[in-house]
Amino acid sequence: MVAPIQAIRGMNDILPQDTFLWQFIENNLRDVLQSYGYQEIRTPVLEKTELFKRSIGEATDIVEKEMYTFLDRSNESLTLRPEGTAGTVRAGIEHGLLYNQIQRLWYLGENFRYERPQKGRYRQFFQCGAEVFGLQGPDIDAELILMAGKIFEKLGLKSAVTLQLNSLGSIESRKTYRHELVNYFTDHKNELDEDSLRRLTTNPLRILDSKNPSLKHLIENAPKLMDHLDPESADHFDKLQNYLTLAGLDFTLNPCLVRGLDYYTKTVFEWVTTELGAQGTVCAGGRYDGLVEQLGGKPTPALGFALGMERTVLLLQQKSHAPHLLDIYFMTDGEPAFQKGLELTAKLRDQVPGLNVIQHCGGGALKNQFKKADKIGARFGMILGEQELKDRTITIKPLRESTPQVTIPEDQLIDWVKSH
Ligand code: ATP
Ligand code: MG
């Protein structure tokens, strides 16, 4: 017998038992993004390597050590996209979508990074991103962040994540700060680890992002970017915080929050969770006013976020956040009840948009039908037995809540379902 071939390490199959959760997330994402007027863009998985080097920056983890890069048959260096912003900006410039225009875009797709696979960190992973071009005020920063908040709310994950905010200021104010930071860490050179020593010359802000616990104290006492903001960035940041407060969205300021990528300016944010161990960032983003120009377009303010799909799936797999798989499992006892059931389930699907209903097929005792309903994770079991058929009623049993079962007249069924 030949040995079976296995998938590549860190690249997951998504199996039927989990696709339901993916679809649940995807449907909610689409609904929210489209309700805010964002339009979908789809770009290729492969781009010229140069695109990522120029946008993400040479001194980043991604470009230094995580990209899947190869020469194609005509010796051109290509890279599987490690993130979605670069390709979106490239396409926007190439098709004239950005100059003097406002665009609200979103995408969903796979990315590739050669990382050490572990829970919440894979070599192929999916991100849903939103990117806005052509707006420079804090109003749009607020919209984007509130929209991300709405996504978590729709997914039932509001209590699982918290928002952290920081401002990186303008590129100029960051230069002054960078200088001060380098001085500070140079004074404490003997306390730095190998990674941070390297970053001290290449990308010192990234030291703030270090996950090494022995650097925690040193980082906490480092000079703060927030104290070095230029007046315009400070005003932008104040207004943003005010909008979020007005909208009732809680956040915490995290002065050590810097994004891994070079191109961010002003607002940066992360939605984090404590439920996934080390891989705590579920959604990350910010403003990147310099990127379009850096990639050869006209100067265009821009901002965006990317939400990690696998980490979102992991959160939904926690029992306390698990969504129900199915609204109704409809059970019947005997042939006449089955026939009546066909009529009622068809009516439910027609008259209650978005409802999903399985009518039990294959007969058998009600007890066994209940077992199926439970296993599939239905929210309600509906029973049409001999008695119900005679009385023109339906019995409804909540399967995921501890509320009592009820028997209602058949002609009230649609109203009952709508109100639940
Ligand atoms: P981290 O610090 O966790 O490596 P990052 O700064 O590299 O994250 P981004 O490039 O900002 O991450 O990507 C945005 C989001 O995409 C992350 O917050 C995370 O949810 C998800 N993500 C990034 N890399 C991976 C990966 N290798 N596997 C799964 N999800 C990922
Ligand atoms: Mg990373």
Side-chain angles (χ1 to χ4, degrees):
M1 218 167 68
V2 294
I5 296 170
Q6 293 190 325
I8 298 168
R9 195 163 117 82
M11 305 212 177
N12 299 318
D13 297 307
I14 301 170
L15 300 177
Q17 73 231 35
D18 290 325
T19 44
F20 148 78
L21 279 178
W22 284 78
Q23 289 168 2
F24 171 78
I25 300 170
E26 288 159 12
N27 293 342
N28 279 294
L29 283 170
R30 264 189 210 107
D31 285 352
V32 175
L33 290 158
Q34 279 167 6
S35 76
Y36 276 76
Y38 285 60
Q39 291 178 296
E40 187 182 0
I41 184 165
R42 300 185 187 187
T43 63
V45 169
L46 272 178
E47 298 273 0
K48 294 181 180 165
T49 303
E50 186 55 26
L51 174 70
F52 301 116
K53 286 196 176 160
R54 226 206 275 177
S55 61
I56 297 168
E58 300 268 2
T60 55
D61 286 349
I62 293 181
V63 175
E64 271 176 1
K65 54 189 185 200
E66 294 176 358
M67 293 204 302
Y68 279 90
T69 297
F70 62 94
L71 294 176
D72 75 358
R73 288 172 193 276
S74 50
N75 268 335
E76 182 163 31
S77 179
L78 304 179
T79 296
L80 281 164
R81 66 175 173 221
E83 51 91 51
T85 304
T88 304
V89 172
R90 197 256 325 125
I93 296 170
E94 193 166 330
H95 301 284
L97 303 181
L98 306 186
Y99 182 55
N100 259 342
Q101 295 175 66
I102 293 171
Q103 296 286 355
R104 288 174 164 87
L105 306 176
W106 70 274
Y107 53 79
L108 174 67
E110 52 280 84
N111 301 300
F112 301 85
R113 296 185 196 175
Y114 193 80
E115 302 204 64
R116 194 169 67 78
Q118 53 200 291
K119 182 180 168 194
R121 190 178 294 286
Y122 311 101
R123 291 183 172 173
Q124 173 176 303
F125 63 97
F126 287 76
Q127 282 180 339
C128 173
E131 318 277 0
V132 179
F133 299 93
L135 290 166
Q136 57 188 7
D139 47 1
I140 187 65
D141 300 32
E143 173 185 294
L144 196 79
I145 290 172
L146 291 170
M147 184 170 77
K150 180 56 81 179
I151 289 172
F152 289 118
E153 187 189 317
K154 281 270 212 167
L155 295 174
L157 291 176
K158 209 175 158 184
S159 63
V161 292
T162 54
L163 173 63
Q164 297 194 347
L165 274 188
N166 193 16
S167 174
L168 299 180
S170 64
I171 291 178
E172 297 80 68
S173 68
R174 209 149 79 215
K175 272 188 196 138
T176 329
Y177 171 70
R178 185 187 151 118
H179 193 71
E180 203 172 306
L181 196 66
V182 171
N183 286 343
Y184 170 82
F185 283 126
T186 308
D187 287 345
H188 297 85
K189 221 171 174 169
N190 51 347
E191 295 165 55
L192 294 177
D193 59 13
E194 196 187 320
D195 257 356
S196 303
L197 271 175
R198 190 166 40 86
R199 286 177 180 148
L200 190 55
T201 48
T202 57
N203 195 349
L205 260 73
R206 285 280 281 149
I207 301 176
L208 300 175
D209 199 23
S210 168
K211 311 261 175 339
N212 183 348
S214 64
L215 293 180
K216 194 163 179 260
H217 185 71
L218 189 64
I219 289 170
E220 273 169 4
N221 290 309
K224 298 283 176 290
L225 226 164
M226 246 184 253
D227 302 331
H228 292 75
L229 289 187
D230 52 292
E232 196 213 320
S233 299
D235 182 57
H236 186 105
F237 197 41
D238 274 350
K239 287 191 171 129
L240 168 62
Q241 292 177 55
N242 195 31
Y243 287 136
L244 297 180
T245 307
L246 282 173
L249 186 69
D250 291 336
F251 57 86
T252 51
L253 297 180
N254 177 356
C256 293
L257 181 64
V258 292
R259 305 287 312 119
L261 315 182
D262 271 355
Y263 50 58
Y264 285 99
T265 48
K266 291 184 178 149
T267 313
V268 287
F269 59 90
E270 287 191 355
W271 291 86
V272 298
T273 179
T274 53
E275 297 178 25
L276 297 181
Q279 273 57 253
T281 304
V282 185
C283 173
R287 183 167 273 283
Y288 51 90
D289 288 341
L291 181 62
V292 177
E293 194 179 8
Q294 200 171 306
L295 289 178
K298 298 260 177 10
T300 307
L303 64 157
F305 67 68
L307 176 141
M309 294 288 285
E310 285 79 3
R311 293 182 196 180
T312 309
V313 170
L314 284 169
L315 278 178
L316 289 175
Q317 281 170 341
Q318 313 270 79
K319 220 178 170 82
S320 52
H321 307 306
H324 60 271
L325 280 145
L326 178 73
D327 297 319
I328 295 165
Y329 196 85
F330 201 102
M331 297 162 267
T332 58
D333 192 12
E335 184 62 21
F338 177 77
Q339 288 176 16
K340 182 74 189 172
L342 279 180
E343 178 196 320
L344 290 176
T345 52
K347 203 161 136 194
L348 279 168
R349 295 187 193 103
D350 276 347
Q351 296 191 16
V352 188
L355 189 76
N356 50 45
V357 184
I358 288 184
Q359 179 170 358
H360 177 83
C361 290
L366 277 177
K367 200 172 132 213
N368 291 330
Q369 298 187 31
F370 261 113
K371 279 191 193 146
K372 288 237 163 61
D374 220 26
K375 191 164 171 223
I376 216 165
R379 183 156 171 232
F380 296 109
M382 290 192 176
I383 307 109
L384 187 62
E386 278 173 20
Q387 193 61 43
E388 283 89 354
L389 192 65
K390 207 157 57 189
D391 300 345
R392 306 193 119 246
T393 57
I394 304 284
T395 297
I396 304 171
K397 187 174 163 58
L399 298 173
R400 322 231 327 150
E401 296 139 51
S402 52
T403 43
Q405 80 173 41
V406 291
T407 299
I408 59 166
E410 177 202 307
D411 57 8
Q412 287 174 20
L413 179 62
I414 301 290
D415 285 341
W416 191 94
V417 170
K418 280 184 179 162
S419 67
H420 285 78

Short mmCIF file of all heavy atoms in Angstrom, two decimals, residues 66 113 115 121, ligand 2:
data_model
loop_
_atom_site.label_atom_id
_atom_site.label_comp_id
_atom_site.label_asym_id
_atom_site.label_seq_id
_atom_site.Cartn_x
_atom_site.Cartn_y
_atom_site.Cartn_z
N GLU A 66 8.67 35.70 6.55
CA GLU A 66 7.42 34.96 6.49
C GLU A 66 6.84 34.75 5.08
O GLU A 66 5.85 34.05 4.93
CB GLU A 66 6.35 35.66 7.36
CG GLU A 66 6.69 35.63 8.84
CD GLU A 66 5.72 36.41 9.73
OE1 GLU A 66 4.77 37.03 9.21
OE2 GLU A 66 5.92 36.40 10.96
N ARG A 113 1.67 32.95 5.24
CA ARG A 113 2.87 33.40 5.95
C ARG A 113 3.57 32.18 6.52
O ARG A 113 2.93 31.32 7.13
CB ARG A 113 2.52 34.36 7.11
CG ARG A 113 1.89 35.65 6.65
CD ARG A 113 1.67 36.60 7.82
NE ARG A 113 0.75 37.67 7.44
CZ ARG A 113 0.28 38.59 8.27
NH1 ARG A 113 0.66 38.59 9.53
NH2 ARG A 113 -0.56 39.51 7.85
N GLU A 115 4.99 30.91 9.18
CA GLU A 115 5.12 31.12 10.61
C GLU A 115 5.17 29.76 11.30
O GLU A 115 4.91 28.74 10.69
CB GLU A 115 3.90 31.89 11.15
CG GLU A 115 3.70 33.23 10.49
CD GLU A 115 2.92 34.18 11.36
OE1 GLU A 115 3.42 34.53 12.44
OE2 GLU A 115 1.80 34.57 10.97
N ARG A 121 -2.60 30.42 14.79
CA ARG A 121 -1.54 30.92 13.91
C ARG A 121 -1.21 29.83 12.89
O ARG A 121 -0.77 28.75 13.27
CB ARG A 121 -0.31 31.28 14.75
CG ARG A 121 0.77 32.04 13.98
CD ARG A 121 1.94 32.42 14.86
NE ARG A 121 1.59 33.40 15.90
CZ ARG A 121 1.36 34.69 15.67
NH1 ARG A 121 1.46 35.18 14.46
NH2 ARG A 121 1.04 35.49 16.65
MG MG B 2 2.48 38.22 12.63
#
